[in-house]
Amino acid sequence: MSGTRGSRRNWLGIAWVMVLLILGGCSDNPPPVVPDSVPSPPAEEFSEAAPPPPPPIAPRVSPPVVPEDEFASRSLEELNRDSPLDPAYFSLDSSRLDASAQRVVEANAEVLRRYPNWIVTIEGHCDERGTPEYNLALGERRALATRQYLVELGLDPTRVRTVSYGKEFPFDPGHDDRAWAENRRAHFVITDR
Amino acid sequence: MTKISRRVFVTAFTGVVVAAVVMTAFGSVSLQQDEVSLIIGDSIGAQPSFAVPDCLALTRDTATTDAATVIAEVLWNDLDFEGEFRLIPRDVYGTIPSARSIIDLPFDRWQELGADGVVSCTVAAVGDGQIEVSARLFSVRSLESAFGVVYTGSNRNLRAYAHQLADEIHRTQRGLQGVARTRLAFVSDRDSQTVLGLVENRPVKEIYLADYDGANVGRVTANRGLNTNPAWSSDGRSIAYTSWLSGFPDVSISHIFEGRLSNPMSGNSREQNFLPAFSPDGRMIAFNSSRDANNDIYVANVDGSGLRRLTNNPAIDTSPTWSPNSQQIAFTSDRTGTPQIYVIGVDGTGLRRLTYETYCDRPTWSPPPFNEIAYSSRTGPGHDIKVLDLATNEIRQLTFGLGTNESPAYSPNGRHVAFMSTRGSGLKQIYTIRRDGNGLRRITSSGNNEMPSWSR
């Protein structure tokens, strides 16, 4: 697992070097407009084995400033592959956030406060035992309950979208208690920033 | 009895996939003459035995010789499907020569096999991609022709000739509206693509169409995302479904003959809509939405105007299905703690609970003349298909614990139910079963296939 991730980072490093070479190569032409979203510095950071120390608490100023840390330079795909936001899990046929699910949402709220420009979509998911039709509503209920708690914790509601996938996209394809528990979740996806 | 000389012309069989839309056309059919047909079988109601030998190919090209076998095979299946006849297996009479006319028909050999009726047909190439199929149903007992028809048309969809012939035989022999020319819409991941998005390895699910027997598969959607819950309009010209194309579920409608898509409920990230169901009168769509912060049933005109909230309960209300007269809607609600089936008038009155079981969902109201609701009921680790007779309140079970069995859909004549089952391989496949629980058939085999909807 970690080997795969390491080699993926190496490849990304190479990709970034190529991006820089391409951008550099264009400099003979009229001054290139480098988009704000191009992160810097890129290459070295991805080859580091250990992540940098935790970022400081986000400043309470507007417009929001993106903290200078590992997440700033990652693509949305990268961020979601190794997400700092954990899923909240539910019990069977329930959309109630129990104590441990609440703790997860509270921790996610902290992360979202630290990155005030992140927009998240909360996906509601169900295990395979219910019918696909009812599970669409149940998944929506899970997503809405999670969103509601985030809003109660003070998060700007416009930053939190919801979507239900019912039982269509299980995270664990198994057919046992462990797989089912894994699949009853509110899954946080960073969809914009 | 009158000899039959009815002639039916069939034109333009196509099954062409155009971008996101499947076009199918079963062309104009003109009846040139009517007739009184001889009914085969005795008066006490026993199933007459039918044989369907290969057609006789009158021209020797491959298209014609293929047609001679395909048409007979498909017809045999179509006639077997309704359960009105006892079909003698085709390999039993492989050695009996095909007949060109009643004079050539070896009646003694068919009598020996116990056949009451024999469908005898000829196929001939008659020009550019055209064939002529001539079919007759003979009564072995009275040595007479009970029914006859001549079709001419394209040689591209040979199965369509058998399907039309089967529907005509069911109509003339049994007074029955057959379903051989109907189609199933369903959800499949058979093309093994993955969704384009921020989370990896999610299977694409698209809406597909197939003949009622699973042949002639075509795609309705090709948006490389999640698309579920297809529902036919009663005129067979549109399919509504839930699509996540915009990142949230919304009701999409493919107008399949116009090559056009619409999203009449105009969903957005805060007003999401799913599980559409057309009213049988074709005027309205019922669906589920949380636009008022809770899952409830809504109804609107098919163009999205006249939106109205039908249920208003803090619980989940979902899975709407219309009564045949478009005046009532059955739906699933978990207002008592578990999902159960309820019925309510389209005017919001007359709410009534119908089921008292562990977990029930996806009610599907039958078309007339039956007045029953099929649904999926948790019976153990999985679900089974059950049917509630609304006149007697009796419940009968159609499946019995093999895998899980979900999402029932009635055939337009009400005599069959299509559903998804994981029996066998564990993959989701679509099956059909007669409403009496007999005649199970598997319709799909490639990938996972689920959520069938049967065209009217």
Side-chain angles (χ1 to χ4, degrees):
Chain A
M1 262 314 203
S2 60
T4 317
R5 184 162 294 155
S7 67
R8 193 179 283 139
R9 288 185 179 187
N10 289 341
W11 277 109
L12 273 161
I14 292 166
W16 276 121
V17 169
M18 288 178 69
V19 167
L20 288 179
L21 285 173
I22 291 164
L23 288 172
C26 292
S27 61
D28 290 344
N29 298 326
V33 179
V34 181
D36 294 340
S37 61
V38 170
S40 65
E44 298 81 4
E45 200 174 297
F46 286 95
S47 53
E48 277 177 14
I57 301 301
R60 304 162 306 280
V61 293
S62 65
V65 177
V66 179
E68 291 290 324
D69 65 16
E70 55 168 346
F71 295 139
S73 58
R74 293 194 194 172
S75 68
L76 285 177
E77 285 80 4
E78 273 282 301
L79 269 179
N80 285 301
R81 193 176 291 136
D82 193 10
S83 181
L85 303 172
D86 288 325
Y89 294 100
F90 295 84
S91 52
L92 179 63
D93 286 342
S94 169
S95 55
R96 198 180 67 81
L97 289 161
D98 64 15
S100 74
Q102 285 183 5
R103 279 195 298 277
V104 169
V105 178
E106 286 157 14
N108 288 348
E110 274 308 309
V111 176
L112 291 171
R113 273 189 209 108
R114 215 179 305 145
Y115 298 92
N117 58 336
W118 286 7
I119 304 290
V120 292
T121 296
I122 302 173
E123 302 179 341
H125 295 272
C126 306
D127 73 34
E128 64 177 353
R129 287 174 293 174
T131 52
E133 295 87 2
Y134 177 78
N135 275 340
L136 275 186
L138 181 60
E140 185 173 54
R141 221 162 225 238
R142 287 174 176 164
L144 288 172
T146 308
R147 179 179 190 274
Q148 180 59 34
Y149 191 48
L150 275 179
V151 172
E152 282 167 19
L153 293 171
L155 233 74
D156 177 359
T158 61
R159 294 179 57 198
V160 190
R161 295 174 188 153
T162 59
V163 62
S164 174
Y165 287 121
K167 65 172 182 176
E168 306 304 328
F169 293 145
F171 290 81
D172 185 326
H175 307 288
D176 52 22
D177 285 334
R178 202 177 136 182
W180 293 329
E182 183 70 10
N183 293 334
R184 292 188 301 266
R185 66 162 79 182
H187 187 78
F188 287 72
V189 181
I190 304 156
T191 41
D192 208 351
R193 64 176 170 188
Chain B
M1 282 290 162
T2 321
K3 266 278 173 70
I4 297 145
S5 60
R6 182 138 72 100
R7 197 173 175 88
V8 180
F9 291 102
V10 180
T11 55
F13 305 104
T14 55
V16 185
V17 182
V18 186
V21 168
V22 175
M23 296 291 298
T24 63
F26 199 91
S28 61
V29 174
S30 61
L31 307 182
Q32 292 211 326
Q33 212 180 318
D34 217 336
E35 89 292 344
V36 177
S37 52
L38 166 71
I39 306 301
I40 296 173
D42 52 43
S43 54
I44 55 167
Q47 284 176 306
S49 291
F50 273 29
V52 186
D54 278 357
C55 301
L56 183 66
L58 298 181
T59 49
R60 300 311 306 169
D61 54 298
T62 337
T64 309
T65 52
D66 285 352
T69 304
V70 168
I71 291 172
E73 280 173 358
V74 174
L75 180 62
W76 192 98
N77 272 307
D78 287 348
L79 294 176
D80 184 53
F81 187 69
E82 291 292 348
E84 292 290 312
F85 310 111
R86 192 179 72 82
L87 271 296
I88 305 172
R90 278 171 34 81
D91 55 3
V92 171
Y93 38 83
T95 60
I96 300 181
S98 298
R100 180 170 190 144
S101 72
I102 193 164
I103 301 153
D104 306 331
L105 205 73
F107 278 103
D108 51 341
R109 296 195 62 184
W110 291 114
Q111 255 160 3
E112 215 171 80
L113 275 178
D116 299 306
V118 177
V119 181
S120 175
C121 49
T122 62
V123 189
V126 290
D128 189 23
Q130 300 282 299
I131 56 169
E132 181 175 275
V133 179
S134 172
R136 274 187 171 66
L137 170 62
F138 290 111
S139 164
V140 174
R141 198 170 303 172
S142 67
L143 312 181
E144 282 180 290
S145 171
F147 173 78
V149 68
V150 180
Y151 303 120
T152 54
S154 161
N155 63 13
R156 275 184 293 165
N157 185 0
L158 300 170
R159 306 175 70 89
Y161 292 93
H163 292 330
Q164 179 152 356
L165 183 53
D167 281 352
E168 295 209 48
I169 290 174
H170 278 126
R171 180 173 57 79
T172 55
Q173 287 293 301
R174 313 300 283 187
L176 172 68
Q177 177 207 349
V179 296
R181 285 174 290 170
T182 58
R183 307 204 82 196
L184 291 166
F186 56 96
V187 174
S188 181
D189 65 1
R190 61 180 59 204
D191 287 325
S192 301
Q193 292 176 302
T194 50
V195 172
L196 299 168
L198 292 169
V199 182
E200 296 162 322
N201 298 321
R202 290 182 163 173
V204 160
K205 295 188 177 183
E206 304 271 18
I207 311 293
Y208 290 72
L209 281 181
D211 292 350
Y212 90 102
D213 58 6
N216 284 328
V217 177
R219 253 165 102 155
V220 177
T221 64
N223 60 36
R224 205 164 166 189
L226 179 63
N227 305 274
T228 63
N229 321 110
W232 280 98
S233 64
S234 52
D235 63 3
R237 299 186 61 81
S238 311
I239 297 171
Y241 51 96
T242 312
S243 176
W244 278 255
L245 185 57
S246 310
F248 52 83
D250 195 12
V251 171
S252 282
I253 301 181
S254 281
H255 305 267
I256 56 177
F257 291 99
E258 298 156 39
R260 187 167 63 85
L261 268 177
S262 64
N263 292 71
M265 304 314 156
S266 310
N268 57 55
S269 62
R270 295 308 311 277
E271 296 183 329
Q272 306 184 1
N273 311 298
F274 44 95
L275 281 164
F278 282 100
S279 62
D281 65 13
R283 294 174 47 231
M284 301 181 85
I285 293 177
F287 59 99
N288 178 294
S289 181
S290 295
R291 52 180 66 218
D292 298 309
N294 185 66
N295 302 93
D296 278 301
I297 309 286
Y298 290 72
V299 291
N301 296 321
V302 287
D303 63 1
S305 65
L307 181 85
R308 189 156 52 83
R309 185 178 185 172
L310 182 61
T311 66
N312 191 343
N313 187 288
I316 289 173
D317 293 336
T318 187
S319 293
T321 179
W322 293 81
S323 68
N325 66 2
S326 303
Q327 293 303 306
Q328 288 175 295
I329 286 176
F331 63 100
T332 302
S333 177
D334 66 358
R335 56 188 67 194
T336 60
T338 57
Q340 302 293 340
I341 315 256
Y342 294 76
V343 64
I344 191 170
V346 178
D347 59 3
T349 65
L351 178 76
R352 187 159 64 94
R353 181 174 172 179
L354 296 180
T355 61
Y356 296 83
E357 301 180 38
T358 310
Y359 180 127
C360 302
D361 187 26
R362 179 51 202 267
T364 310
W365 213 310
S366 75
F370 310 105
N371 189 21
E372 55 193 28
I373 290 177
Y375 57 100
S376 179
S377 172
R378 185 175 285 170
T379 49
H383 296 244
D384 277 306
I385 306 297
K386 292 185 179 179
V387 174
L388 168 67
D389 185 320
L390 290 166
T392 63
N393 274 329
E394 278 169 20
I395 292 170
R396 60 180 199 277
Q397 193 167 334
L398 299 187
T399 66
F400 294 89
L402 289 171
T404 190
N405 303 277
E406 298 169 8
S407 306
Y410 274 97
S411 66
N413 66 9
R415 294 163 57 97
H416 311 269
V417 174
F419 61 99
M420 181 283 287
S421 179
T422 58
R423 65 188 61 207
S425 66
L427 290 177
K428 296 172 184 170
Q429 300 297 353
I430 292 169
Y431 292 76
T432 59
I433 196 166
R434 287 188 209 124
R435 61 182 286 282
D436 63 5
N438 292 315
L440 182 78
R441 284 191 184 186
R442 182 156 61 83
I443 301 305
T444 57
S445 54
S446 171
N448 287 287
N449 304 277
E450 56 187 317
M451 303 180 195
S453 173
W454 210 317
S455 71
R456 299 287 105 176

